[in-house]
Every structure is written in C-alpha cells, then in structure tokens.
Amino acid sequence: MTTRGQEFQIGRRGLLAGAAGLSALSLLPGQLRAEDAPKRGGLLRMGIGGGSTTDDFDLRKLNDWVPVNQAYMVMNGLVEIDADNIARPELFESWEAGAGALEWVFKVRQGVTFHNGKALTADDVVYSLNLHRGDSSSAARSVAAAFAEVQKLSEHEVKITLASGNADLPYVLSDYHFLVVPAGFTDWMNPIGTGPFIPESIEPGVRARFSRNPNYWKPGCANVDAVEVIVINDIAARTNALMSGQVQAINSLDFKTVDLLARNKTLQIVRSKGGQHYTFLMDCTQAPFTDVNVRQAVKYAVNREQLLQTALLGYGTLGNDHPIPVTDRFFNTELAQRAYDPEKAKFFLKQAGMDGLKLTLQSSDAAFPGAVDAAAIYRTAAAPAGIEVTIQREPADGYWDNVWMKAPFCMSYWGGRPTADQMLTIAYSSASAQNDTHWANADFDRLLGEARALLDDQKRREIYWELQRMIHDEGGAMIPMFGDYLDGVSKKVKGVTPHPMFNLMGARLAEKVWLDS
C-alpha cells in the first residue's frame, strides 16, 4: 500500500458519518460571509476549565483542557485532524507508506522556524517523538511503543518503522502529546515551539498570556495579537465570566444552562458530536472490583437514559460501557444496549457472594460538568440493587493527580480519539500509562495488535467488535453516556466551527479565530 498527498483518508464513508454528526446551535460551517474574512488584531480572552497549579508544558504529561489548549498555542503537531475527522499534514508535509504499512517516510515541512529563530529539521521531530519511547513516563508511551525505529533520513525526512503494520499511523501521530520542540529541549515551564503564539507570562492553574508569533507559517491563522487564558474550573464562574464579557470563549458548558445561554443574542453555542464520554471508573486491581461480577452489578445499576436526560439534558447519546462512539466506522452495531436492571445487578452481586455492596464514589466537577449531580443520580438508581453509594466530593484542583487512577471508584472523562485503535490502545491496553481502570487482558492486547496491522477493513471490524464486547462484559469502566462538546463563544469571535476532536475546535480555537472589528 502506498499513501501519498495532502490528506489521509481511510473508510471515507465512516469519516463522513462522523462529520455528519457535527452541529452548532448558532454557527455552522460554511456560513462565513465575504466580510467575515480573517482580520488581524485584538486580544482574545479565554476562560478554560481543566487547569491545575501542577500544570506545565511537558508533552509527556498533558492530560487536561488547559495544558492541552495552551500547548497548541505554543507548539504544532505533526498531523492535524480537521473538522471532517480527516488527518491533514501539519509539520509533516506529506507521507508515504510501504507495503503492509510497516515503514513510513514523512517529509518535514521546510521554512518553519521555532520562536527562538531555529529552523525546524528532522532532528527536532526525532527528538520529540523519542520523548515518548522506551523508558519514558509519557502518557503516550503505549502508543509510541509501536515505533520500532524513528530514523532521520535527511534534514527534512523522517522514517518510522513500526513493530507491526498500522494503517492509521497518520491519525496516531495527531495525538496531542506528539507536539514538536527543539532537539534537546527540557525547560517545560518556558516552552519553545513553532506554534502561533509565544508565551509572555504563565501562572499555572491561574492565568497565562501569549503574544502572536510574527513569523507563523500557516496562512490565515494566528490572527489575534494576543491570547489571555484564565483558568476557571468552576462552571458557574466560567459561565458568568462569558456572560459578563470578562472572557470571549469558554469550554465545557453546563448542560443545564445551554438553552438559557442560547437565547443570549451576543453569544453563540457551538455543539460538536464526537467521542467524548463520561466514565465511572472501577480499579480492577482493588477490592471489590477485582471480581468481574461486581463490575457487572455496578453497570446494571445505572439508569443511563435518566442520566442522559438529567445530567446532560439530552445533549449526547447513550453509552454502552465501551469507548467507541456511534460515529466511528468500527462501532459495534450488534452489541445489545445494556439497560437499567436492578434485579440483574442483584444477581451478579450474589454471583460474587454478596447480599449487598457499599461503595465510596469519589467525584468532582473537574471530571466533567455535572459530575457530582451524575453521582447523585447514580446513588439513587443503585439503591434498589442493594448498592449503597457514598459520594465523596473532591476539590477540582489536584483531582487528576490525587484521585484519578488512584481511587478505587471515581469519575472521569475521555475526549475520544480519531480512530478506534487509538482510543482502545491509550485507555485499555495493559501497557498504557493511562489505563485508568488498570484492567489487563492478554487476549485483548493480542487482538488489538492484530487489528492494527490489517489493511482489510472487514477483518478489522470483526476484531474491533470483539474488543468492544470484551470491555463491555469484563472491563472496569462504566460508561453511561457520550456527551456533546459544548462551548460558549462571543459572536464577536469569528471563524468558530464545530469539531469532532475536543472542545474549542479541537483545542485549536486560539489559532483559528479572529475578532470582529
């Protein structure tokens, strides 16, 4: 197989199906008028939830909305996912895959410079990719483990040899951990990149300011003179900041206030469907969740429809305890939707030798807007099943360091990934540093590797369907719902469109938009 050119498309019908799910309440793609052509100037103020005083720009540690958005302001990736879920060249200008998708040659874009004036070369790309390989603490370590060799062929050419073939490699390289810094760079509090903005001041967990990169290489981008990021983890405070004009864009709207905000004639609500899903995490290495029967009981004790309509106000779709969304071409359409069934939950508890179960659920709205309310809804639904849930509310600051992947039972979210392989690898492979249920299954790992190397979509589909079934039946994640991405943006901010990858235009809003004069 050889793949060339300016884009990478696999299973276009599936990609278009995903793109068809995009919508906006006040702005749709293609509605720009001639007078709305990009304009230079102004200060863009963003209020973003998902930040902590422990944040920095270490590419290996990026794990929440504020650090990811800020990283994209300073640095570029190798590949960009566009609004149609298609992999587009970024710092990689083009690519070619050899037979079996084992060896890939990428051309590094020329004429790009870092903020310190250094020209981008293959050395920088090789160094940046190697940050995640081998003995690395990177959250993308399990993904990068597939890179058997990353080799510089010339000043502007890189060869990646895989341990096994992967037809989705350009999509894999779009992961936000695979941003590019100069070779040898280690000063993560003072980042240098090739991105649209240059840091002026950074106060982790509080605020940061970035100025426009005058030498930015992308035409029509980096239009505003400066971007100010204010970390506002509290959703009510974030919403008030938007309504008062303190900020012009916020992420992760409270589902309960979306309809009210939509009536405000000065605001636009941007609604994007994608792979974002909300999870109740059971640590499969800690009692009582070491017993698959207990995990099954927990999954049958949730009223998914009630959660979707109450916690998300219908802005989403039902989840079925696996992370692949209905928009993915490999979504298992034959896996029966798990329903609320307290009697079946009791049955599985008896299978585990229990008459009842007492659990402490650690929750915070840092996990997702309305997470504490969702925990309360689950507590009520679980009671008839003999499951007594105590909710332990945690502070937003430090939640990802102190609770996530440490607590036996807690809440979280995933932003989704552009391919099934990426989502399954980063969250469910036993080798992944972000396997947040600590579920390990050797058969799952083996099948995941087999599917990745196949070029036959039908054979891949059969395996991915089985992997979804395995997670659904045995995994430690109870996934009751997928939530739409909901952002609030001032109508003075132009060029905003829905995006299937994350809030705020795939975390790239600052780079893309401009301000109405």
Side-chain angles (χ1 to χ4, degrees):
M1 180 191 76
T2 299
T3 302
R4 282 187 178 273
Q6 295 302 303
E7 63 184 48
F8 181 77
Q9 298 170 266
I10 287 186
R12 182 166 177 79
R13 182 173 61 182
L15 294 177
L16 291 178
L22 298 174
S23 64
L25 300 183
S26 300
L27 181 68
L28 294 173
Q31 288 187 325
L32 298 180
R33 302 162 299 182
E35 58 266 35
D36 286 330
K39 301 171 185 176
R40 282 285 176 89
L43 169 66
L44 174 67
R45 301 182 306 277
M46 303 177 68
I48 307 180
S52 172
T53 53
T54 60
D55 291 340
D56 60 24
F57 286 77
D58 188 337
L59 304 180
R60 296 163 293 191
K61 293 164 50 180
L62 299 177
N63 66 359
D64 210 349
W65 296 127
V66 171
V68 170
N69 274 269
Q70 292 186 159
Y72 273 125
M73 293 177 200
V74 178
M75 293 167 270
N76 291 123
L78 299 166
V79 177
E80 178 179 357
I81 302 298
D82 72 7
D84 292 325
N85 205 38
I86 294 173
R88 303 283 186 181
E90 195 170 8
L91 291 183
F92 276 157
E93 190 173 44
S94 63
W95 46 76
E96 181 178 344
L102 272 169
E103 294 184 350
W104 293 73
V105 175
F106 296 87
K107 292 194 179 296
V108 178
R109 192 176 297 276
Q110 299 186 47
V112 177
T113 58
F114 287 96
H115 300 152
N116 61 1
K118 178 190 178 303
L120 173 72
T121 70
D123 290 317
D124 307 307
V125 173
V126 171
Y127 172 79
S128 299
L129 286 174
N130 282 339
L131 286 171
H132 312 281
R133 301 179 64 217
D135 186 18
S136 171
S137 60
S138 173
R141 182 185 63 202
S142 62
V143 177
F147 307 160
E149 185 178 20
V150 179
Q151 179 184 4
K152 171 186 174 182
L153 297 182
S154 68
E155 283 300 297
H156 292 94
E157 205 168 44
V158 171
K159 179 180 178 181
I160 298 178
T161 303
L162 302 175
S164 58
N166 189 343
D168 292 336
L169 183 58
Y171 282 97
V172 170
L173 293 173
S174 73
D175 189 298
Y176 54 77
H177 295 95
F178 297 140
L179 302 182
V180 176
V181 293
F185 185 81
T186 58
D187 187 1
W188 300 114
M189 283 305 299
N190 296 287
I192 294 174
T194 59
F197 299 98
I198 301 169
E200 287 185 18
S201 61
I202 300 168
E203 191 176 352
V206 182
R207 66 175 62 234
R209 185 180 172 98
F210 307 84
S211 59
R212 184 171 64 85
N213 176 6
N215 300 314
Y216 194 46
W217 59 275
K218 285 189 187 179
C221 293
N223 297 299
V224 298
D225 289 333
V227 181
E228 184 172 281
V229 174
I230 305 174
V231 180
I232 313 177
N233 288 324
D234 181 78
I235 183 59
R238 199 158 67 244
T239 303
N240 289 334
L242 177 66
M243 295 182 69
S244 68
Q246 180 187 1
V247 298
Q248 299 149 305
I250 65 172
N251 66 327
S252 303
L253 296 182
D254 188 335
F255 293 92
K256 296 189 293 292
T257 64
V258 173
D259 290 342
L260 176 63
L261 286 174
R263 300 190 198 113
N264 189 320
K265 295 182 179 180
T266 68
L267 303 177
Q268 52 189 323
I269 308 301
V270 184
R271 177 183 181 184
S272 305
K273 291 189 178 297
Q276 176 174 243
H277 56 279
Y278 305 124
T279 56
F280 290 64
L281 300 173
M282 297 171 274
D283 185 338
C284 296
T285 65
Q286 297 191 55
F289 304 117
T290 51
D291 191 325
V292 68
N293 291 296
V294 173
R295 303 198 292 268
Q296 289 276 55
V298 167
K299 294 173 183 178
Y300 277 107
V302 61
N303 189 327
R304 298 161 198 271
E305 187 62 45
Q306 183 185 20
L307 267 180
L308 177 62
Q309 297 304 325
T310 305
L312 302 190
L313 277 296
Y315 288 106
T317 56
L318 292 179
N320 200 23
D321 302 326
H322 67 76
I324 307 305
V326 295
T327 52
D328 192 284
R329 73 187 192 276
F330 293 127
F331 173 77
N332 188 336
T333 58
E334 295 182 359
L335 186 63
Q337 173 66 53
R338 182 173 274 128
Y340 175 51
D341 193 334
E343 293 304 314
K344 190 166 283 189
K346 288 181 180 179
F347 166 80
F348 280 107
L349 286 181
K350 288 182 179 179
Q351 293 294 105
M354 300 177 178
D355 292 326
L357 180 63
K358 292 185 178 182
L359 297 174
T360 296
L361 174 59
Q362 292 175 245
S363 181
S364 169
D365 282 345
F368 58 88
V372 176
D373 291 341
I377 294 169
Y378 178 68
R379 177 179 59 192
T380 301
I387 301 176
E388 181 183 331
V389 178
T390 299
I391 300 171
Q392 183 172 315
R393 186 166 187 165
E394 302 286 352
D397 189 58
Y399 183 80
W400 302 107
D401 291 318
N402 303 324
V403 178
W404 180 62
M405 294 194 70
K406 295 181 176 65
F409 193 32
C410 70
M411 301 179 74
S412 184
Y413 76 92
W414 277 96
R417 293 296 186 272
T419 69
D421 176 73
Q422 277 183 278
M423 189 67 250
L424 296 173
T425 298
I426 200 165
Y428 295 91
S429 164
S430 63
S432 174
Q434 289 191 313
N435 179 339
D436 50 13
T437 60
H438 305 285
W439 179 67
N441 185 302
D443 288 338
F444 178 91
D445 291 346
R446 176 181 55 78
L447 288 171
L448 183 61
E450 288 181 11
R452 186 179 303 127
L454 292 172
L455 299 177
D456 184 324
D457 260 14
Q458 179 56 41
K459 291 180 180 178
R460 295 182 84 194
R461 181 177 295 107
E462 292 173 3
I463 295 177
Y464 286 130
W465 280 27
E466 171 61 12
L467 296 179
Q468 290 166 67
R469 184 205 61 75
M470 293 172 73
I471 296 172
H472 172 274
D473 290 349
E474 305 169 26
M478 187 259 279
I479 304 174
M481 53 193 175
F482 282 72
D484 297 340
Y485 297 114
L486 296 172
D487 299 322
V489 185
S490 165
K491 286 188 175 178
K492 293 182 179 180
V493 180
K494 303 298 183 180
V496 185
T497 60
H499 198 284
M501 293 297 301
F502 314 140
N503 290 92
L504 301 173
M505 298 179 69
R508 294 172 180 261
L509 182 143
E511 175 189 13
K512 307 288 187 183
V513 302
W514 62 95
L515 299 178
D516 188 358
S517 58

